[in-house]
Amino acid sequence: QLVKGTLEYFRSGYQVKPDEKVPFREIVEEVLKLLDVQLSSIGAAVSLAEAFPTVYADRMRMVEVVTNLIQNSINYRDKTKPLTLEIGHRLSEDEDVFFVHDNGMGIDASESEKVFKLFYRGTSDGEGSGAGLAIVKRIIEAHGGRIWVQVQQEKGTTMCFALPRQNGTNKGG
């Protein structure tokens, strides 16, 4: 698992295909379909924003980003209650900001930057390898974007990422 995670990490920042125009909702729906059995088996409830923008990005890599963010929510959920996920976005002046919010264990504010380091796991309670968020960060940065965690103690975790826009349209990297 460590070797596989390491290989994927190093590949993730360098193998970004040319951008294509993709409605972000299609990316989210594709991931939810891929993870349907797993989400259903744990009784997860998922809510989506009513509308998402179109992005110019490597579709396969964006699917990988959303998959890893949702998988992270599954792996680090609070197993004493059903998982709830909110997937949405907001627009700012020069970028599209997307987020995945969960009601899981949450992340301590002191670890909000560490979670993006390869193989870092803030707790042994989760099921992940510690490679997912590092891979996500490399993909987002390869698209000219940025990623961060919004910390709210005991209110789960909100993973946010932004992709740059040009003339009102995301341009990707």
Side-chain angles (χ1 to χ4, degrees):
Q1 192 175 18
L2 291 176
V3 171
K4 182 181 176 186
T6 302
L7 290 173
E8 181 62 25
Y9 173 76
F10 286 110
R11 189 182 65 177
S12 65
Y14 299 107
Q15 291 187 344
V16 175
K17 293 181 181 172
D19 298 340
E20 61 181 290
K21 186 176 179 179
V22 184
F24 197 79
R25 177 172 285 282
E26 287 181 11
I27 293 168
V28 172
E29 289 174 350
E30 181 177 338
V31 171
L32 292 175
K33 189 174 182 180
L34 289 169
L35 297 175
D36 182 58
V37 171
Q38 190 175 13
L39 289 166
S40 295
S41 72
I42 61 170
V46 180
S47 65
L48 303 179
E50 287 190 28
F52 286 96
T54 294
V55 296
Y56 285 85
D58 178 337
R59 180 188 187 104
M60 182 181 77
R61 290 298 183 191
M62 284 298 114
V63 166
E64 189 173 357
V65 164
V66 176
T67 300
N68 273 321
L69 293 178
I70 293 173
Q71 192 66 56
N72 201 63
S73 293
I74 293 169
N75 290 343
Y76 294 94
R77 70 188 185 277
D78 178 346
K79 293 178 183 170
T80 66
K81 58 187 174 187
L83 175 65
T84 61
L85 292 171
E86 178 187 359
I87 303 169
H89 79 96
R90 62 181 181 272
L91 301 176
S92 72
E93 189 172 312
D94 59 351
E95 59 188 6
D96 293 310
V97 179
F98 301 91
F99 64 87
V100 175
H101 174 76
D102 65 47
N103 66 334
M105 294 180 205
I107 296 172
D108 188 89
S110 66
E111 297 183 2
S112 63
E113 289 298 317
K114 295 176 190 175
V115 298
F116 298 107
K117 299 210 181 296
L118 186 59
F119 302 126
Y120 179 78
R121 295 179 66 214
T123 177
S124 60
D125 293 342
E127 299 168 12
S129 69
L133 292 179
I135 291 168
V136 166
K137 182 177 183 190
R138 283 183 62 105
I139 294 169
I140 294 300
E141 289 175 349
H143 282 82
R146 60 193 180 93
I147 186 165
W148 67 96
V149 180
Q150 288 182 336
V151 177
Q152 298 173 313
Q153 289 299 80
E154 300 185 28
K155 292 189 178 185
T157 301
T158 305
M159 300 298 299
C160 303
F161 67 93
L163 297 173
R165 272 186 289 126
Q166 183 176 26
N167 298 326
T169 307
N170 168 276
K171 67 175 183 175

